Structures are given as C-alpha cells and as structure tokens.
mmCIF file of all heavy atoms in Angstrom:
data_model
loop_
_atom_site.group_PDB
_atom_site.id
_atom_site.type_symbol
_atom_site.label_atom_id
_atom_site.label_comp_id
_atom_site.label_asym_id
_atom_site.label_seq_id
_atom_site.Cartn_x
_atom_site.Cartn_y
_atom_site.Cartn_z
ATOM 1 N N ALA A 144 -7.485 3.420 3.254
ATOM 2 C CA ALA A 144 -7.474 1.993 3.562
ATOM 3 C C ALA A 144 -6.139 1.364 3.160
ATOM 4 O O ALA A 144 -5.541 0.590 3.920
ATOM 5 C CB ALA A 144 -8.630 1.293 2.846
ATOM 6 N N TYR A 145 -5.660 1.711 1.971
ATOM 7 C CA TYR A 145 -4.380 1.157 1.520
ATOM 8 C C TYR A 145 -3.209 1.711 2.322
ATOM 9 O O TYR A 145 -2.223 1.003 2.568
ATOM 10 C CB TYR A 145 -4.181 1.421 0.031
ATOM 11 C CG TYR A 145 -4.821 0.374 -0.848
ATOM 12 C CD1 TYR A 145 -5.804 0.714 -1.774
ATOM 13 C CD2 TYR A 145 -4.441 -0.968 -0.759
ATOM 14 C CE1 TYR A 145 -6.396 -0.252 -2.585
ATOM 15 C CE2 TYR A 145 -5.038 -1.937 -1.563
ATOM 16 C CZ TYR A 145 -5.998 -1.577 -2.470
ATOM 17 O OH TYR A 145 -6.582 -2.532 -3.269
ATOM 18 N N GLU A 146 -3.309 2.969 2.749
ATOM 19 C CA GLU A 146 -2.247 3.522 3.595
ATOM 20 C C GLU A 146 -2.164 2.759 4.920
ATOM 21 O O GLU A 146 -1.076 2.520 5.449
ATOM 22 C CB GLU A 146 -2.491 5.011 3.834
ATOM 23 C CG GLU A 146 -2.176 5.872 2.612
ATOM 24 C CD GLU A 146 -2.512 7.334 2.819
ATOM 25 O OE1 GLU A 146 -3.226 7.658 3.801
ATOM 26 O OE2 GLU A 146 -2.086 8.170 1.992
ATOM 27 N N ALA A 147 -3.336 2.374 5.444
ATOM 28 C CA ALA A 147 -3.349 1.580 6.672
ATOM 29 C C ALA A 147 -2.790 0.182 6.416
ATOM 30 O O ALA A 147 -2.066 -0.374 7.249
ATOM 31 C CB ALA A 147 -4.778 1.480 7.217
ATOM 32 N N LEU A 148 -3.093 -0.386 5.258
ATOM 33 C CA LEU A 148 -2.588 -1.715 4.916
ATOM 34 C C LEU A 148 -1.080 -1.713 4.688
ATOM 35 O O LEU A 148 -0.417 -2.742 4.842
ATOM 36 C CB LEU A 148 -3.276 -2.227 3.645
ATOM 37 C CG LEU A 148 -4.568 -3.031 3.812
ATOM 38 C CD1 LEU A 148 -5.141 -3.392 2.456
ATOM 39 C CD2 LEU A 148 -4.314 -4.292 4.630
ATOM 40 N N ALA A 149 -0.546 -0.554 4.304
ATOM 41 C CA ALA A 149 0.881 -0.462 3.999
ATOM 42 C C ALA A 149 1.768 -0.675 5.220
ATOM 43 O O ALA A 149 2.984 -0.787 5.090
ATOM 44 C CB ALA A 149 1.195 0.890 3.363
ATOM 45 N N SER A 150 1.172 -0.729 6.398
ATOM 46 C CA SER A 150 1.955 -0.965 7.626
ATOM 47 C C SER A 150 1.835 -2.405 8.098
ATOM 48 O O SER A 150 2.292 -2.746 9.185
ATOM 49 C CB SER A 150 1.470 -0.026 8.736
ATOM 50 O OG SER A 150 0.114 -0.308 9.078
ATOM 51 N N LYS A 151 1.218 -3.266 7.263
ATOM 52 C CA LYS A 151 0.976 -4.642 7.686
ATOM 53 C C LYS A 151 1.617 -5.631 6.703
ATOM 54 O O LYS A 151 1.809 -5.311 5.536
ATOM 55 C CB LYS A 151 -0.531 -4.921 7.759
ATOM 56 C CG LYS A 151 -1.298 -4.033 8.728
ATOM 57 C CD LYS A 151 -2.790 -4.303 8.641
ATOM 58 C CE LYS A 151 -3.563 -3.429 9.611
ATOM 59 N NZ LYS A 151 -3.268 -3.766 11.010
ATOM 60 N N GLY A 152 1.895 -6.837 7.178
ATOM 61 C CA GLY A 152 2.317 -7.921 6.312
ATOM 62 C C GLY A 152 3.791 -7.924 5.958
ATOM 63 O O GLY A 152 4.614 -7.258 6.594
ATOM 64 N N THR A 153 4.104 -8.666 4.903
ATOM 65 C CA THR A 153 5.477 -8.781 4.441
ATOM 66 C C THR A 153 5.898 -7.512 3.705
ATOM 67 O O THR A 153 5.072 -6.650 3.411
ATOM 68 C CB THR A 153 5.612 -9.972 3.480
ATOM 69 O OG1 THR A 153 4.816 -9.698 2.307
ATOM 70 C CG2 THR A 153 5.127 -11.256 4.124
ATOM 71 N N THR A 154 7.185 -7.437 3.379
ATOM 72 C CA THR A 154 7.684 -6.274 2.647
ATOM 73 C C THR A 154 6.960 -6.125 1.312
ATOM 74 O O THR A 154 6.546 -5.016 0.942
ATOM 75 C CB THR A 154 9.195 -6.406 2.397
ATOM 76 O OG1 THR A 154 9.868 -6.463 3.651
ATOM 77 C CG2 THR A 154 9.721 -5.223 1.592
ATOM 78 N N ALA A 155 6.790 -7.226 0.593
ATOM 79 C CA ALA A 155 6.104 -7.185 -0.700
ATOM 80 C C ALA A 155 4.655 -6.716 -0.544
ATOM 81 O O ALA A 155 4.160 -5.908 -1.346
ATOM 82 C CB ALA A 155 6.144 -8.560 -1.360
ATOM 83 N N GLN A 156 3.968 -7.206 0.499
ATOM 84 C CA GLN A 156 2.580 -6.795 0.732
ATOM 85 C C GLN A 156 2.491 -5.316 1.076
ATOM 86 O O GLN A 156 1.594 -4.607 0.617
ATOM 87 C CB GLN A 156 1.980 -7.641 1.858
ATOM 88 C CG GLN A 156 1.729 -9.088 1.466
ATOM 89 C CD GLN A 156 1.337 -9.962 2.648
ATOM 90 O OE1 GLN A 156 1.708 -9.679 3.800
ATOM 91 N NE2 GLN A 156 0.588 -11.032 2.398
ATOM 92 N N LYS A 157 3.445 -4.850 1.880
ATOM 93 C CA LYS A 157 3.462 -3.431 2.243
ATOM 94 C C LYS A 157 3.698 -2.565 1.016
ATOM 95 O O LYS A 157 3.055 -1.525 0.835
ATOM 96 C CB LYS A 157 4.550 -3.170 3.280
ATOM 97 C CG LYS A 157 4.284 -3.765 4.652
ATOM 98 C CD LYS A 157 5.447 -3.513 5.591
ATOM 99 C CE LYS A 157 5.204 -4.106 6.971
ATOM 100 N NZ LYS A 157 6.359 -3.892 7.877
ATOM 101 N N GLN A 158 4.624 -2.992 0.156
ATOM 102 C CA GLN A 158 4.934 -2.209 -1.035
ATOM 103 C C GLN A 158 3.762 -2.201 -2.014
ATOM 104 O O GLN A 158 3.460 -1.175 -2.628
ATOM 105 C CB GLN A 158 6.193 -2.765 -1.714
ATOM 106 C CG GLN A 158 7.470 -2.595 -0.909
ATOM 107 C CD GLN A 158 7.843 -1.141 -0.704
ATOM 108 O OE1 GLN A 158 7.330 -0.246 -1.350
ATOM 109 N NE2 GLN A 158 8.758 -0.897 0.225
ATOM 110 N N THR A 159 3.087 -3.340 -2.149
ATOM 111 C CA THR A 159 1.911 -3.399 -3.026
ATOM 112 C C THR A 159 0.816 -2.463 -2.521
ATOM 113 O O THR A 159 0.175 -1.751 -3.309
ATOM 114 C CB THR A 159 1.369 -4.841 -3.122
ATOM 115 O OG1 THR A 159 2.390 -5.691 -3.644
ATOM 116 C CG2 THR A 159 0.148 -4.904 -4.024
ATOM 117 N N ALA A 160 0.607 -2.460 -1.207
ATOM 118 C CA ALA A 160 -0.397 -1.563 -0.628
ATOM 119 C C ALA A 160 0.006 -0.109 -0.839
ATOM 120 O O ALA A 160 -0.845 0.757 -1.103
ATOM 121 C CB ALA A 160 -0.568 -1.853 0.857
ATOM 122 N N THR A 161 1.299 0.185 -0.733
ATOM 123 C CA THR A 161 1.782 1.551 -0.974
ATOM 124 C C THR A 161 1.519 1.968 -2.415
ATOM 125 O O THR A 161 1.108 3.108 -2.686
ATOM 126 C CB THR A 161 3.290 1.640 -0.664
ATOM 127 O OG1 THR A 161 3.512 1.303 0.704
ATOM 128 C CG2 THR A 161 3.809 3.053 -0.921
ATOM 129 N N ILE A 162 1.759 1.047 -3.353
ATOM 130 C CA ILE A 162 1.479 1.328 -4.774
ATOM 131 C C ILE A 162 0.002 1.662 -4.964
ATOM 132 O O ILE A 162 -0.359 2.628 -5.632
ATOM 133 C CB ILE A 162 1.867 0.116 -5.644
ATOM 134 C CG1 ILE A 162 3.379 -0.093 -5.608
ATOM 135 C CG2 ILE A 162 1.397 0.314 -7.087
ATOM 136 C CD1 ILE A 162 3.822 -1.442 -6.130
ATOM 137 N N LYS A 163 -0.862 0.833 -4.350
ATOM 138 C CA LYS A 163 -2.310 1.049 -4.466
ATOM 139 C C LYS A 163 -2.728 2.374 -3.824
ATOM 140 O O LYS A 163 -3.630 3.065 -4.318
ATOM 141 C CB LYS A 163 -3.060 -0.112 -3.818
ATOM 142 C CG LYS A 163 -2.912 -1.437 -4.544
ATOM 143 C CD LYS A 163 -3.803 -1.492 -5.759
ATOM 144 C CE LYS A 163 -3.889 -2.881 -6.335
ATOM 145 N NZ LYS A 163 -4.836 -2.960 -7.474
ATOM 146 N N ALA A 164 -2.080 2.726 -2.712
ATOM 147 C CA ALA A 164 -2.383 4.001 -2.048
ATOM 148 C C ALA A 164 -1.992 5.167 -2.949
ATOM 149 O O ALA A 164 -2.730 6.157 -3.063
ATOM 150 C CB ALA A 164 -1.647 4.086 -0.714
ATOM 151 N N LEU A 165 -0.836 5.064 -3.587
ATOM 152 C CA LEU A 165 -0.392 6.116 -4.514
ATOM 153 C C LEU A 165 -1.318 6.196 -5.724
ATOM 154 O O LEU A 165 -1.634 7.289 -6.204
ATOM 155 C CB LEU A 165 1.037 5.830 -4.967
ATOM 156 C CG LEU A 165 2.134 6.066 -3.925
ATOM 157 C CD1 LEU A 165 3.442 5.425 -4.363
ATOM 158 C CD2 LEU A 165 2.321 7.571 -3.681
ATOM 159 N N GLN A 166 -1.763 5.045 -6.186
ATOM 160 C CA GLN A 166 -2.697 5.014 -7.311
ATOM 161 C C GLN A 166 -4.006 5.712 -6.942
ATOM 162 O O GLN A 166 -4.540 6.519 -7.706
ATOM 163 C CB GLN A 166 -2.969 3.568 -7.720
ATOM 164 C CG GLN A 166 -3.899 3.420 -8.916
ATOM 165 C CD GLN A 166 -4.211 1.961 -9.205
ATOM 166 O OE1 GLN A 166 -4.141 1.105 -8.324
ATOM 167 N NE2 GLN A 166 -4.551 1.664 -10.442
ATOM 168 N N ALA A 167 -4.513 5.398 -5.746
ATOM 169 C CA ALA A 167 -5.750 6.039 -5.286
ATOM 170 C C ALA A 167 -5.534 7.537 -5.113
ATOM 171 O O ALA A 167 -6.408 8.348 -5.447
ATOM 172 C CB ALA A 167 -6.214 5.406 -3.980
ATOM 173 N N ARG A 168 -4.359 7.922 -4.585
ATOM 174 C CA ARG A 168 -4.068 9.343 -4.401
ATOM 175 C C ARG A 168 -4.047 10.073 -5.742
ATOM 176 O O ARG A 168 -4.530 11.216 -5.844
ATOM 177 C CB ARG A 168 -2.744 9.530 -3.683
ATOM 178 C CG ARG A 168 -2.467 10.994 -3.315
ATOM 179 C CD ARG A 168 -1.224 11.132 -2.452
ATOM 180 N NE ARG A 168 -0.002 11.017 -3.236
ATOM 181 C CZ ARG A 168 1.219 11.046 -2.714
ATOM 182 N NH1 ARG A 168 1.383 11.152 -1.409
ATOM 183 N NH2 ARG A 168 2.283 10.931 -3.488
ATOM 184 N N SER A 169 -3.533 9.419 -6.763
ATOM 185 C CA SER A 169 -3.506 10.065 -8.079
ATOM 186 C C SER A 169 -4.915 10.322 -8.596
ATOM 187 O O SER A 169 -5.179 11.345 -9.239
ATOM 188 C CB SER A 169 -2.714 9.211 -9.087
ATOM 189 O OG SER A 169 -3.445 8.062 -9.485
#
C-alpha cells in the first residue's frame, strides 16, 4: 500500500510513503 502511495502527491508525501514502505519491509 505504501509503495503504491509513494508514486502519488508531493515530493515530501512520496518520500514519507517510501519511508513507511521501507519500515514495513523491515
């Protein structure tokens, strides 16, 4: 879900979603 969100919104929103995706992956 976060990986999908990482392609949407502003740069900050994309980066936050990427962080959350990495957190979930861990």
Side-chain angles (χ1 to χ4, degrees):
Y145 274 120
E146 286 176 346
L148 270 177
S150 64
K151 300 175 180 294
T153 64
T154 299
Q156 289 171 333
K157 291 177 180 178
Q158 293 296 346
T159 300
T161 300
I162 294 165
K163 292 282 192 176
L165 287 166
Q166 182 184 25
R168 187 173 77 183
S169 74

